[in-house]
Every structure is written in C-alpha cells, then in structure tokens.
C-alpha cells in the first residue's frame, strides 16, 4: 500500500477510465511473471505440513529462488529486444494499464489494497475457517487436539498470502512500471513482515500501519534520490532534532 502512494506521474495514467483497465489486466494476465508468489508460498505451506519446516524461514529462502526465476525470464525468454540497456519485458498495452485515482497521482492499487484488507478481516473475524487460522498459528498442537485440520489451514493461509503478493506485483507492473524488470525487486515483502508484526496480524489495523510506514519510508527515499546520498543517512538526518 505504501508503493501505491508513490509519486511517479510519468507512469500513472491520470484518467477517470482506469477501473475497466483493472478488469482487463486480471482477465488477460499479461503480468504472468508476478504470479510466481502463489505457488512459492503454497510450497512453503506444504513444507510446513509435510516436513515441519517453519513457513516464515522457508518462504524467505524460497524468495531467492523466485527472484532467480524472475530474472531468468526477464533477461531471457521474455526480454524486450528493443530495450538493450535495461532488461525488461514488453510494455503492457495502454488498455490494461491502471490509471490514477480521480485527479490525484495515487493509482487504483490503493483501493484494491483496502478492499483486500477489509475482505480478509471479514473472513478472519466472522467465519469459522477464519477463526481457526490464528488458532493454528498460535498453537498447532492444541489445534490438532480440538480436531482442526492444521496442515490444510496452513497451506490455505500461505496460498492466500501468495495471492496477495501476486496482486501487489500485478498492480506495480500495470500502474507504475508498465513492464516487468529488476526495479520490482524492492524488498516490499520484508517491509510487509514489519507491518504485519506491528499491526498484530490484524488486517484492519494493517491499513493505517502500512500508510504510516509508507509516509516514513517514502520521504527518505526521495531525499536519497534528490541529495545523492544513501537512504540510511537520510533516515539519520530526519531523526535529528536540528532537521
């Protein structure tokens, strides 16, 4: 959600006909490279179920495999021959790009992120399967003793997380970059772990926490780009009372 507020007007189409483009994007799946997160995280859930491997550790390690596959396709079979200096896929058609949110530079990915958080919150708090998910996450042995299918719940939860990551990747391609390239590897997953921990894994609390993280990170990145200094140094400058 923090990336949805990035000010990149050259890549965001500020028109009011962006919503149909969202539907066309997910119908065409031109951003198929970004769908790698779903099988990767589902694999992490399967490793937890059948081999007892911690899903957090396995997903972090499998991320490197996913990045290697991503670079292989971007720099190999799916590379645009017209781009010699920066390996990228062919740009998306104008009809499937996601435009701006009314008259702002914020694209429709922000609204999709809010909708996903609301729906996941409704599922977690008001359904039986959603209530069982944090029970399994808190104590898998106790969940098995009361009859919950902990293995299946872990796999489903990991698959849902992968689907959310796919959604973020597709939005990044369709709204900001317009093609898949190495700039997509921005470490959003690691920031997502921090957001989830601070929000205590509550989808409804994740929304303001993500905005808070975005408001903190984005100025430092802009400062780093404008002053040609490393981002950590900008963080120190912003934390200084003299600033």
């Amino acid at each position: 959600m923090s990336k949805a507020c990035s000010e990149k007007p050259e890549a965001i189409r500020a028109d009011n006909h962006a919503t149909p483009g969202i539907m066309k994007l997910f119908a065409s799946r031109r951003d198929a490279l970004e769908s790698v997160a779903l099988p990767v995280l589902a694999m992490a859930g399967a490793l937890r179920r059948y081999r007892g491997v911690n899903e957090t550790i396995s997903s972090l390690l499998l991320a490197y495999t996913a990045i290697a596959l991503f670079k292989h396709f971007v720099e190999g079979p799916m590379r645009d021959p017209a781009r010699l200096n920066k390996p990228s896929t062919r740009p998306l058609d104008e009809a499937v790009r996601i435009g701006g949110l009314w008259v702002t530079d914020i694209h429709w990915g922000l609204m999709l992120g809010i909708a996903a958080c609301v729906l996941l919150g409704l599922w977690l708090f008001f359904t039986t399967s959603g209530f069982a998910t944090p029970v399994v996450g808190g104590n898998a042995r106790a969940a098995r003793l009361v009859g919950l299918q902990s293995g299946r719940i872990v796999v489903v939860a990991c698959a849902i997380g992968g689907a959310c990551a796919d959604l973020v990747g597709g939005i990044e391609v369709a709204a900001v970059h317009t093609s898949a390239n190495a700039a997509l590897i921005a470490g959003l997953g690691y920031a997502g772990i921090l957001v989830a921990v601070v929000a205590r894994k509550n989808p409804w609390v994740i929304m303001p926490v993500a905005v808070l993280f975005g408001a903190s990170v984005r100025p430092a990145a802009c400062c780093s780009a404008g002053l040609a200094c490393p981002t950590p140094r900008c963080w120190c400058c912003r934390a200084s009372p003299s600033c």
Side-chain angles (χ1 to χ4, degrees), residues 26-217:
F26 293 110
S28 61
R29 294 303 297 174
R30 283 286 302 277
D31 57 326
L33 278 178
E34 298 308 313
S35 62
V36 70
L38 177 58
V40 165
L41 288 184
M43 187 183 302
L47 288 173
R48 166 66 183 270
R49 177 177 182 177
Y50 297 109
R51 305 299 299 176
V53 180
N54 183 276
E55 63 276 10
T56 303
I57 302 301
S58 61
S59 61
L60 289 174
L61 295 177
L62 286 171
Y64 292 100
T65 303
I67 291 173
L69 289 174
F70 175 85
K71 290 182 176 180
H72 165 73
F73 285 106
V74 168
E75 299 175 4
M78 301 184 68
R79 180 172 180 172
D80 185 3
R83 301 189 180 187
L84 302 178
N85 296 327
K86 185 177 182 180
S88 302
T89 60
R90 290 180 173 83
L92 288 173
D93 296 333
E94 192 77 20
V96 297
R97 297 181 186 179
I98 298 178
L101 190 60
W102 297 296
V103 294
T104 67
D105 290 335
I106 302 173
H107 56 71
W108 281 90
L110 176 64
M111 303 305 296
L112 289 176
I114 293 175
C117 288
V118 171
L119 292 176
L120 286 174
L122 293 174
W123 171 66
L124 280 175
F125 301 141
F126 297 102
T127 65
T128 304
S129 59
F131 179 78
T133 301
V135 174
V136 173
N139 194 324
R141 182 179 180 183
R144 288 193 297 268
L145 291 176
V146 298
L148 295 177
Q149 298 181 356
S150 59
R152 182 180 62 85
I153 292 174
V154 168
V155 174
V156 171
C158 290
I160 292 175
C164 292
D166 288 342
L167 177 65
V168 173
I171 292 171
E172 277 290 288
V173 171
V176 180
H177 300 280
T178 70
S179 63
N181 51 58
L184 290 172
I185 307 172
L188 294 181
Y190 304 107
I193 295 176
L194 296 177
V195 170
V197 171
V198 174
R200 302 298 296 271
K201 306 173 187 177
N202 187 326
W204 294 345
V205 182
I206 280 176
M207 292 182 282
V209 172
V211 172
L212 177 63
F213 269 69
S216 301
V217 173

